[in-house]
Amino acid sequence: MKQGESFQIILPASPTTGYQWMIRSVPPQVALVSMEYTTSSDCAKGMSGCGGDTVLSLTGITPGKGKLVLQYARPWAPQRDDRHSDVLITVIPTTGGAADTFCQPDDIRTHLDDRDGEFTGMSQSGTLLVLRNTGHIACTLEPLPALRFEDAKQQPLTVERRIPHGMHPGPALRSVVVAPGQQVASRLRWVASDAFDAGNCVTPAFVSLEMKGGTLRIPFDHMMCAAAGDTAYFDQGPLGMMK
């Protein structure tokens, strides 16, 4: 298969026996988009004991060869006689594939997720900036999305990312390939109260994501504070896959 292309693996299954397909390992060359069971079309409504298929949808993201290891087993039972299925996958690089296709704003849905206050405490706050590829092909995003914080009139505020000490402007990071249906996230952290006693706080109404091809804008409305005269208000982690 070519980089950026999606494909399916269809495996016969009969879950009423207690057996089910389980993934033991996924090679780094592909991304698992979904794994679903569908009942056979020959199974009449209300009929029990019918078989069907387990359908895996995958997308090639990195050129190379790898092995997808599957197991058909009862999860609670000894697994001496279980069926194994190893699928050798080869992803071929291609121009115009995921490596050259930047995600477009129309194909990305974004929102903030504070994980029910997981990042809040000791004058600190934070959130996840979540991006989901709703397009039909894999595409790439910059590993550290360029963010712009804005007031209620969508005018830019002087709010900059804090640069880690000793890194100017930061570590070398690879672009992130996002398969169709897949989500990635960047963690944002900031000081949420005037712990510096400097009165240097802002409350952006929006945060916008600058992309190749356009801009995405979402409501923000969180107070961010920095030391007197400082314009670096927040820490930003690189994009990573969400489970």
Side-chain angles (χ1 to χ4, degrees), residues 27-52:
Q29 289 79 16
V30 298
L32 177 66
V33 178
S34 65
M35 181 176 181
E36 300 177 343
Y37 173 77
T38 59
T39 304
S40 171
S41 58
D42 296 330
C43 184
K45 185 176 181 180
M47 184 182 296
S48 61
C50 295

Side-chain angles (χ1 to χ4, degrees), residues 174-227:
R174 298 178 60 184
S175 296
V176 177
V177 179
V178 189
Q182 199 167 44
Q183 291 191 138
V184 294
S186 172
R187 189 177 69 175
L188 308 179
R189 297 293 298 270
W190 61 86
V191 176
S193 65
D194 193 9
F196 304 98
D197 294 325
N200 186 19
C201 298
V202 295
T203 305
F206 300 97
V207 57
S208 64
L209 172 63
E210 303 296 325
M211 301 177 61
K212 294 181 183 297
T215 301
L216 293 174
R217 180 175 288 105
I218 51 177
F220 187 75
D221 198 30
H222 294 282
M223 186 169 75
M224 311 167 79
C225 299

Side-chain angles (χ1 to χ4, degrees), residues 73-145:
R74 288 186 172 114
W76 64 88
Q79 301 180 6
R80 293 188 300 268
D81 299 320
D82 297 331
R83 229 166 72 203
H84 293 262
S85 182
D86 297 347
V87 182
L88 181 63
I89 297 173
T90 302
V91 178
I92 303 171
T94 177
T95 57
D100 302 311
T101 304
F102 288 100
C103 298
Q104 298 300 306
D106 289 346
D107 293 330
I108 297 295
R109 299 293 178 267
T110 183
H111 67 275
L112 300 177
D113 182 1
D114 66 2
R115 294 293 180 91
D116 295 323
E118 177 182 330
F119 308 113
T120 301
M122 298 295 290
S123 300
Q124 302 285 321
S125 190
T127 188
L128 293 177
L129 174 66
V130 182
L131 306 172
R132 179 181 177 85
N133 181 6
T134 61
H136 300 295
I137 63 171
C139 60
T140 62
L141 289 167
E142 297 294 339
L144 277 176

